[in-house]
Amino acid sequence: MALLVIPNFIQDLIPAASESINPWNWNLNASGLYEYLPTMHALSKFALLGACAVNSVMGLPESVERREANLLKRNVNDWINKETPIAWEKLFCNIGPNGCAVRNQGVPAGVVVASPSRSDPDYFYTWTRDAALVYKGIADAFRRNYSEDLHSQLKAFVQSQAKLQGVGNPSGGLNDGLGLGEPKFMVDLKEFTGDWGRPQRDGPPLRAIALIRYAKWLVENGHKAVANAQVWPTIENDLKYSAQYWNQTGFDLWEEVPGSSFFTIASTHRALVEGAQLGAVLGKPTRAYTAVAPHVLCFQQSFWNAREGFIVSNINGGEYRRGRDANSILVAIHNFDATAGCDANTFQPCSDKALSNHKVVVDSFRTIYSINRGIAQNKAVAVGRYSEDVFYNGNPWFLATFAAAEQLYASLLVWKAQGSITITQTSLAFFRDHVSGATVGTHAAGSATYNQIISAITAYADGFIEVASKYALSNGALNEQIDRNTGQPIAAPDLTWSYSAFLTATARRDGYIPTTWGASQANAVPGQCEKFEVAGSYSLPPTPAFPSGLTPAANAPVEQVTRVPTGCTNPEKVFVTFNERVSTSWGQVVKVVGNIPELGSWDVNKAVPLSAAKFTSSDPLWSITVPIQAGSNVQYKYIRITNGVAGVTWEGGDNRTYSVPGATCDIQNRWDNWR
């Protein structure tokens, strides 16, 4: 019998028998090691055949579909229970300093290495996005089941990211926040200077989300001062970046095409909403986040292709792709908020748009991969990134296949909680793949259609897990990709994101619902979208120092729901929008600098960049909104920059002047022309 050494905190993360049918027992042997031993459930195939025989004798024949579904469930249960401790162990192997794959290799505590692979491909780096998604999963596991080991991991992550924010890099520095958009770093937290797709604007909001999950736990358990002093400074920089640069293009999460990414925009909306909640609890200014978030959500709606029923995952760039991309499925699972039900505006997993999109994306891989051919329309298949993919010849990815399952598991949780399933014309094709007689309307729990859908989608979701189990290595290791023709695991071995994706999908299957991020209170779309960006002042977070005794409170609430702040009351700072019309050449940027700290105190290195979001050839308008202390007397000028600070051109004439009014919620506009 093969033995696995399972650390105590990983033992705590293994689903209890009450959470799923568990055909294996965890037994402590004489050597103090845990081993998997099969129980009678391991004979499920024979038990199933016996049950069928009994049913036949009693005149109750079991349908082929029911037998297949039961066998599938047992097979999936078997693999999940064997894979779960392996996935946790392998995930922590890739986190410094003591992970088994990175030990003694200069990886600081709390730093996630994407993969131990150093060649073909070289993934021995830390990506802000990957690390944030991994630690978001760790934070949710920690909230679900307190562990001091997981707590140490979270504190180390806060410390590593506070340091990382101050590392200058090819994307920029912290003075104007541009450096926060750098996608990857060396594992020792030094800058990566090679050619890459820069900037990638999903990292800051995703990191903010992960840190917010932990900070909210601190608040809920009586450690508000710690959340305020040790975690908020790092979160605040990322929220400011998100509010300032959300409408500017960058590279997508696959790091291949510049443009506007659905994944980035949706992550930004969530971060601003959840960040405003936390900021309000901590007594921090939140107006910038609450003012920008609705317009981010408004822009998010523009990715929907109503005619074909799917999300065009990248717009304003990357048009050679058709847009059917696992990017969109990742949005559904990472922005899941059960309190929002099946809301389509925030792209909840069970919304009609998200389900229609799920069908279109999954179907796009049914015939292009040899390993998927011949599989029935209502069965799961291996899922890739997008059909035009050429990286390693374009293959299915484990994380995308797990994501397809996770969206369905999340949908099932909401349907069961609300006691009904609503089918619209948009989602009808999705449902008819699985229940041919499905009709538009709301089907209550207990109805034939409801029961058929629950059964069919449960089996469909389990099918994606079974597909992944089929192509995983026999020792439980998960690579990045699956060869489209042979089914062999290929590309980066032991991809950290693959393990994290497995763990979050199976947590949803076990019935775990993450705490709300406020989607139900932040899903109203403005009547008119505005390209509204608010500049932030950035500062290097102090090195976080966590006191001892940060344990759960005896009577801590299971979840603290905070109303999303809205409106503007008693503002200490006035929002001033600087609008400058100036002709520029490709690669030039325009900034505003002035005599007050909010405008850099005449230091061009701290000048505030204007956005070209409203720029057109007929109206070369640059603009940015800056929160300025009420009553300030401002002197300022615009500068045009080519190739960094060395290429600064100041506009002519005297300093411009402006007296900021007293406390007001009205946005003040300055309309200027280059001189």
Side-chain angles (χ1 to χ4, degrees), residues 45 55 61 126 149 160 205-206 292 324 329 343 347 356 369 392 402 412 474 505 517 548 551 570:
K45 183 178 294 186
N55 282 340
T126 183
D149 293 281
S160 69
L206 290 170
V292 170
R324 298 163 172 81
I329 294 178
D343 176 62
F347 208 64
S356 175
Y369 300 150
Y392 277 79
F402 289 132
L412 288 161
S474 59
W517 57 267
S548 59
T551 55
N570 302 319

Side-chain angles (χ1 to χ4, degrees), residues 257-307:
V257 295
S260 298
S261 165
F262 183 65
F263 182 77
T264 301
I265 293 299
S267 300
T268 298
H269 177 251
R270 172 178 174 166
L272 293 175
V273 170
E274 196 169 14
Q277 287 183 7
L278 177 64
V281 171
L282 299 179
K284 303 296 184 180
T286 62
R287 186 186 173 200
Y289 318 138
T290 58
V292 170
H295 298 290
V296 179
L297 182 64
C298 193
F299 182 47
Q300 185 175 322
Q301 311 311 306
S302 63
F303 291 82
W304 177 246
N305 180 334
R307 186 172 64 86

Side-chain angles (χ1 to χ4, degrees), residues 98-432:
N98 298 317
C100 63
V102 299
R103 191 177 297 126
N104 301 321
Q105 298 186 57
V107 183
V111 173
V112 176
V113 177
S115 163
S117 178
R118 292 176 180 266
S119 63
D120 194 26
D122 183 1
Y123 277 16
F124 203 73
Y125 298 94
T126 183
W127 272 263
T128 303
R129 170 185 48 257
D130 295 37
L133 291 173
V134 167
Y135 267 99
K136 173 176 171 282
I138 292 174
D140 281 337
F142 169 75
R143 293 178 64 93
R144 181 184 187 185
N145 190 2
Y146 178 84
S147 157
E148 188 54 45
D149 293 281
L150 289 183
H151 201 174
S152 296
Q153 285 283 351
L154 288 166
K155 289 183 283 188
F157 180 62
V158 176
Q159 292 166 333
S160 69
Q161 299 310 295
K163 179 178 179 180
L164 191 64
Q165 285 189 343
V167 176
N169 55 70
S171 292
L174 191 58
N175 285 335
D176 54 12
L178 288 171
L180 298 177
E182 181 70 5
K184 78 174 187 177
F185 296 82
M186 309 301 290
V187 297
D188 59 0
L189 299 186
K190 293 180 181 177
E191 64 176 326
F192 169 74
T193 58
D195 291 336
W196 210 252
R198 300 181 173 95
Q200 293 177 30
R201 305 194 191 278
D202 57 354
L206 290 170
R207 178 167 55 197
I209 291 167
L211 294 174
I212 289 167
R213 305 305 279 174
Y214 173 51
K216 288 169 72 173
W217 180 89
L218 288 170
V219 171
E220 292 163 9
N221 286 275
H223 310 301
K224 180 177 177 179
V226 176
N228 203 336
Q230 310 304 331
V231 190
W232 177 258
T234 307
I235 294 172
E236 186 175 36
N237 280 334
D238 285 337
L239 293 178
K240 288 178 177 178
Y241 179 93
S242 300
Q244 182 168 357
Y245 296 109
W246 71 270
N247 197 46
Q248 299 188 32
T249 57
F251 279 80
D252 69 334
L253 81 163
W254 308 129
E255 308 186 300
E256 295 172 345
V257 295
S260 298
S261 165
F262 183 65
F263 182 77
T264 301
I265 293 299
S267 300
T268 298
H269 177 251
R270 172 178 174 166
L272 293 175
V273 170
E274 196 169 14
Q277 287 183 7
L278 177 64
V281 171
L282 299 179
K284 303 296 184 180
T286 62
R287 186 186 173 200
Y289 318 138
T290 58
V292 170
H295 298 290
V296 179
L297 182 64
C298 193
F299 182 47
Q300 185 175 322
Q301 311 311 306
S302 63
F303 291 82
W304 177 246
N305 180 334
R307 186 172 64 86
E308 298 183 69
F310 72 96
I311 289 291
V312 181
S313 288
N314 297 287
I315 60 177
N316 301 323
E319 280 76 10
Y320 72 90
R321 297 184 188 171
R322 299 183 66 189
R324 298 163 172 81
D325 194 316
N327 164 325
S328 52
I329 294 178
L330 291 171
V331 167
I333 66 172
H334 289 297
N335 279 6
F336 173 44
D337 185 338
T339 67
C342 298
D343 176 62
N345 289 344
T346 56
F347 208 64
Q348 292 304 304
C350 61
S351 66
D352 57 354
K353 289 183 178 179
L355 292 173
S356 175
N357 178 79
H358 187 284
K359 170 181 166 55
V360 172
V361 172
V362 171
D363 284 356
S364 70
F365 301 110
R366 289 189 179 276
T367 59
I368 66 170
Y369 300 150
S370 297
I371 60 174
N372 286 345
R373 290 175 188 160
I375 297 176
Q377 179 67 30
N378 65 338
K379 302 296 182 181
V381 294
V383 179
R385 300 190 300 174
Y386 53 93
S387 60
E388 302 88 350
D389 195 1
V390 296
F391 183 52
Y392 277 79
N393 197 36
N395 299 290
W397 284 44
F398 280 102
L399 71 88
T401 305
F402 289 132
E406 184 172 345
Q407 181 182 337
L408 301 177
Y409 290 136
S411 298
L412 288 161
L413 289 174
V414 174
W415 290 333
K416 292 175 182 179
Q418 66 188 18
S420 65
I421 299 171
T422 297
I423 301 176
T424 70
Q425 198 63 47
T426 297
S427 59
L428 182 60
F430 168 85
F431 286 105
R432 283 193 171 168

